[in-house]
Amino acid sequence: MILQALNRYYERLIEQQAEDVAPAGCSPEKISFEILLTPDGDVAQVNDIRDTSGKKPLPRMLNVPQAEKRTVGIKSNFLWDKTSYVLGVSNTSKRTDKEHEDFVELHETVLAGEDDPGLKALLSFLRGWSPDQFEARGFPADMVDANLVFRMDGEHCFLHDRPAARAVRARLLAGDGGQEAAASGTVCLVSGEVAPVARLHPAIKGVNGAQSSGASIVSFNLDAFTSYAKSQGDNAPVSEQAAFAYTTALNYLLRRGEHNRQRLQVGDASVVFWAEAVDAKQASAAEDLFASMLSPPADDASEAARVRAVLDCIAKGHPVADLAPNLEPSTRMYVLGLAPNASRLSVRFWQVDTLGVLAGRIAQHAEDLRLEPLPWRTEPSAYRLVLATVPHREGAKPKADDAINIVIGETMRAILSGGPYPRSLLANTIMRFRADGDISGLRVALCKGVLARERRRDIRTSEEEIPVSLDKQSTKPGYLLGRLFAVLENVQRAALGGQVNATIRDRFYGAASATPASIFPVLLRNTQNHLGKLRKERMGQAVNLEKDIREIVGGLPEQFPRSLKIEDQGRFAIGYYHQSQSYFTRRDAVGDAPADESAEPTDIETEGADQ
């Protein structure tokens, strides 16, 4: 299924003539130099074809005959290669003589009998060349170990682009495999056609954490994988054409660059997605919308507002076709998450559905996380959710590498499939509250999302809804205790000011949320001292805070719970957030969201301070 979808996407890229997508049998490679040959095989000129527009010369990307997959063996490329193979010159290789010998032998074999002037000139060049001519002829020193191609002097076409060279290349690709496939009736599992089977598939590059030379998503490269006398590609026959197509499409999706919005990094998973529609415009519009919903821009307020409007529109049940004329709800979307696994790639998740369904699930995800007041300016992307689950150390930025990969993968799958979030996400977030004391709005939103989705799916839930904003009618002990803790913290801040070395949140949040009976009696006794001081300075505020305490305590059972279950600890965090935010308001216009999800209450003023 994955390979078939990628194969179809490759065909769409070829129809669109997408940049950096090579036709069958070719691959884009970094080429630095070209050698111009005369008809008799002599060197007319050596040209540096690198891009010199920047500070440093960079190789050009050229479509050349597909590179051979090298491990420890010697395999020459057809009509191009690095200097150790073509010229027998290298500063790094210790077997240049064998590599150059292999390159000459390959071309002597496959070009024998060819009448094309360019191919004959290349053979003449190779027959007359010796490595000691490199310095004698004044070849540039920075040419060593770079890739090079050939061209006839006075022509614009490279040798590998000549019709005769393409015919030879096609014959090589068919090779003996075509006859064997026809004789054995081997059917490609991707295309369903009888075709030569790829023994090893081309490498896939661009997955974070994988080998820089590339890794494989399908691989039977060792003898240990031989089964029922089937070795390498025969275990799961995929034709050369299909193997080339799906790897080329995947490499295109995984390419790095700020303009590639079809690639996301979520934890250790490199996520790519693409659309399949009746025409390219619809597919492109669907991919743009999907990218905006999965990763809203954090620094573009207008775009963030548009994304929020889109999510609100979808959440209200409006079809995606109402958002833009090119959007078709039945457009199929494919989402693939890949994670590194030594020299191979593991599929972290694979989701296929229509644009309308996936957009609805992402809107539902946003609704599940929703808190009032909103703790963010832009909808949190998957990457920001990852950062919320990692340790926040003072003076250092959170690192995505600290994330628990299996939790992130399960969370992403839940977002795309509409299934429950992993319970470990709630447990991990609550553990982070205790460990680093950062009770940010985004972390609280994760707790709320887990509990709200479980309740909607009738999993481990109570009859009471998970509140979006402050709910004074709630009777859940966890929620009430969170509210009470926020009031006690506010009393301390009002009495002692904001210069306290360690607030009750810093010292007692973990114990208060897990074992309330051991902490709250002590906190309530200490609060009487704070209230006594506050009454002397601001009587009105003290009366209001006492009223809040009485109101919350009145809803609690006679005895504080000895312990709270993990879901009640999540409600504790939600209640704490709601009650804390009720005491604060922004300095700027009323109704705006806080400046940042990580913004602390110390940045905003307290209501009732003047009472």
Side-chain angles (χ1 to χ4, degrees), residues 108-116 120 123 127:
E108 286 281 7
T109 303
V110 301
L111 300 183
E114 293 294 329
D115 295 329
D116 181 78
K120 291 173 68 175
L123 280 180
R127 289 166 184 163

Side-chain angles (χ1 to χ4, degrees), residues 169-199:
R169 177 65 178 162
R171 194 172 66 236
L172 285 175
L173 289 175
D176 297 333
Q179 299 175 3
E180 292 177 4
S184 62
T186 306
V187 176
C188 173
L189 296 179
V190 176
S191 63
E193 299 174 351
V194 177
V197 174
R199 315 305 301 173

Side-chain angles (χ1 to χ4, degrees), residues 117-416:
L119 300 182
K120 291 173 68 175
L122 175 65
L123 280 180
S124 299
F125 165 77
L126 293 176
R127 289 166 184 163
W129 174 261
S130 61
D132 54 0
Q133 296 180 36
F134 188 84
E135 292 187 2
R137 294 196 175 203
F139 280 34
D142 52 354
M143 185 178 180
V144 178
D145 291 323
N147 288 327
L148 57 92
V149 293
F150 292 94
R151 184 161 64 89
M152 291 296 291
D153 189 23
E155 297 183 6
H156 296 288
C157 178
F158 294 111
L159 282 193
H160 58 262
D161 287 332
R162 296 172 74 92
R166 291 185 176 181
V168 174
R169 177 65 178 162
R171 194 172 66 236
L172 285 175
L173 289 175
D176 297 333
Q179 299 175 3
E180 292 177 4
S184 62
T186 306
V187 176
C188 173
L189 296 179
V190 176
S191 63
E193 299 174 351
V194 177
V197 174
R199 315 305 301 173
L200 297 175
H201 296 196
I204 297 167
K205 301 178 182 179
V207 176
N208 275 12
Q211 293 180 350
S212 58
S213 58
S216 297
I217 196 171
V218 178
S219 177
F220 298 94
N221 57 329
L222 301 176
D223 292 339
F225 304 137
T226 300
S227 176
Y228 290 92
K230 295 183 182 298
S231 64
Q232 295 191 327
D234 288 335
N235 286 282
V238 176
S239 67
E240 293 275 5
Q241 168 67 27
F244 174 82
Y246 90 77
T247 52
T248 302
L250 202 46
N251 282 324
Y252 176 80
L253 290 167
L254 286 166
R255 72 192 186 283
R256 298 181 188 278
E258 58 181 339
H259 300 298
N260 181 15
R261 297 194 66 190
Q262 292 176 261
R263 181 186 193 280
L264 301 173
Q265 192 65 39
V266 183
D268 72 333
S270 299
V271 183
V272 295
F273 58 86
W274 67 97
E276 194 173 272
V278 293
D279 60 48
K281 287 186 178 178
Q282 284 189 9
S284 180
E287 288 163 357
D288 287 343
L289 175 66
F290 198 70
S292 298
M293 289 193 295
L294 273 186
S295 182
D299 54 353
D300 189 340
S302 61
E303 180 65 13
R306 190 185 73 83
V307 173
R308 185 174 299 172
V310 167
L311 292 174
D312 289 344
C313 182
I314 295 172
K316 291 175 182 174
H318 297 291
V320 293
D322 292 353
L323 304 175
N326 283 337
L327 289 176
E328 175 58 45
S330 61
T331 299
R332 289 189 75 77
M333 296 295 304
Y334 301 87
V335 188
L336 175 63
L338 296 172
N341 182 9
S343 61
R344 293 175 177 78
L345 301 175
S346 59
V347 177
R348 185 74 77 187
F349 50 83
W350 165 245
Q351 192 71 36
V352 181
D353 225 314
T354 63
L355 175 64
V357 172
L358 287 178
R361 288 171 182 166
I362 295 174
Q364 185 62 63
H365 162 70
E367 190 64 24
D368 287 338
L369 294 188
R370 187 177 181 82
L371 281 175
E372 293 291 348
L374 274 179
W376 48 72
R377 281 187 184 278
T378 62
E379 297 297 323
S381 64
Y383 182 74
R384 286 174 63 193
L385 292 181
V386 171
L387 292 184
T389 65
V390 303
H392 287 193
R393 302 179 180 89
E394 189 173 356
K397 290 184 178 180
K399 298 178 181 177
D401 293 342
D402 294 335
I404 303 175
N405 294 324
I406 190 67
V407 176
I408 301 307
E410 290 295 320
T411 303
M412 195 68 191
R413 184 183 291 115
I415 295 172
L416 296 173

